[in-house]
Amino acid sequence: MRPVYIATAYLGPIQQYCKMLQYPEVRIETAENYVKQTYRNRCVIAAANGPLSLSIPIVKPDTLKCQTKDIRISDHGNWRHLHWSALVSAYNMSPFFEYYADDFLPFYTQKWDFLFDFNEAIRAKVCELIDLHPKVAQTASYGFMDFGGRSDVCVADFRNLISPKISVEADVTFIPRGYYQVFREKHGFLPNLSVVDLLFNMGPESLLVLRDSIQEDACQPLQNL
């Protein structure tokens, strides 16, 4: 049984949900020092004018280093209203937005204190809607869990590789499959957007797109456990 390690993400990219389908066990990192300008607090959707990044404002920690699980959400800038308005504007003409809208609206009308808790709740809802059922555990400390010093266990670590700053081509296990997008004729196909782009456009077929975007990797033994 080979686990995969991923970071928490706000409406994470398709690449991340492929990992939840591909690997039998998923470890979501809680104990890392929070990393800025990543999918941890932002997502990218397809708007009328092209890719649009939506970022959740966070409360600046009192110390230079703060674990991801302790990062608090800020109410600055009325972000919930702005994000929901952006989603409605981008996807109200998509085939399945109306079908799923009521599942997502509560995340933008209720207050959440911690970013990790918000991300996990919305991730669980997305998995439910896609009919994806990963075996998920949260890390208690930074590193690799449950291997007792063994060096012959294959562990896939995507905590930093899945990033808006890193091309998807760096991930040999992910080959984005094209699918219908509302503004595809205008902008061409935009790969690896937020999973909601896939869900609102493809609905029940989302799981098939995830499956067809997976490329098996040749895992190497994990060293320095």
Side-chain angles (χ1 to χ4, degrees):
M1 297 290 284
R2 184 173 38 155
V4 61
Y5 283 72
I6 59 176
T8 186
Y10 167 47
L11 291 176
I14 293 169
Q15 182 185 13
Q16 182 147 335
Y17 281 80
C18 282
K19 307 311 175 196
M20 298 184 213
L21 176 61
Q22 180 176 5
Y23 293 89
E25 297 182 12
V26 179
R27 307 283 194 263
I28 298 183
E29 184 60 59
T30 73
E32 65 180 357
N33 291 323
Y34 182 73
V35 183
K36 299 179 181 178
Q37 298 181 349
T38 67
Y39 291 126
R40 290 161 179 80
N41 72 319
R42 72 177 60 187
C43 68
V44 182
I45 64 173
N49 293 325
L52 175 64
S53 179
L54 303 176
S55 297
I56 298 177
I58 63 170
V59 177
K60 185 177 180 180
D62 295 331
T63 59
L64 292 177
K65 296 181 179 181
C66 181
Q67 291 187 346
T68 294
K69 65 181 177 63
D70 296 324
I71 293 293
R72 291 181 175 271
I73 295 175
S74 171
D75 285 328
H76 178 73
N78 197 21
W79 71 269
R80 293 177 181 83
H81 172 74
L82 294 177
H83 284 208
W84 182 247
S85 295
L87 290 170
V88 172
S89 177
Y91 296 111
N92 64 345
M93 296 300 293
S94 66
F96 294 96
F97 179 77
E98 183 177 358
Y99 184 79
Y100 295 120
D102 288 345
D103 291 296
F104 286 93
L105 181 58
F107 293 101
Y108 299 94
T109 56
Q110 301 172 12
K111 181 177 178 180
W112 294 75
D113 292 326
F114 291 95
L115 177 67
F116 185 89
D117 294 340
F118 176 80
N119 286 352
E120 272 300 279
I122 205 167
R123 178 202 61 77
K125 175 55 68 174
V126 169
C127 286
E128 174 191 329
L129 297 176
I130 292 178
D131 198 23
L132 175 62
H133 306 284
K135 182 180 179 181
V136 175
Q138 299 175 11
T139 64
S141 60
Y142 190 79
F144 299 101
M145 300 164 53
D146 304 332
F147 303 115
R150 292 173 57 190
S151 60
D152 61 341
V153 179
C154 286
V155 176
D157 185 0
F158 292 93
R159 287 173 288 192
N160 295 310
L161 186 60
I162 298 177
S163 168
K165 298 179 181 180
I166 298 177
S167 170
V168 294
E169 295 178 356
D171 179 3
V172 297
T173 70
F174 176 62
I175 302 178
R177 174 194 163 185
Y179 58 88
Y180 170 80
Q181 292 175 331
V182 174
F183 302 109
R184 184 166 181 169
E185 290 189 3
K186 183 177 181 181
H187 302 296
F189 176 66
L190 300 175
N192 203 33
L193 296 176
S194 167
V195 69
V196 295
D197 183 83
L198 174 61
L199 184 64
F200 293 152
N201 283 307
M202 298 300 291
E205 295 185 26
S206 297
L207 194 64
L208 300 179
V209 176
L210 294 180
R211 183 198 64 189
D212 292 345
S213 299
I214 292 171
Q215 178 72 28
E216 291 295 331
D217 66 324
C219 184
Q220 298 297 320
L222 177 70
Q223 303 296 329
N224 300 321
L225 284 168

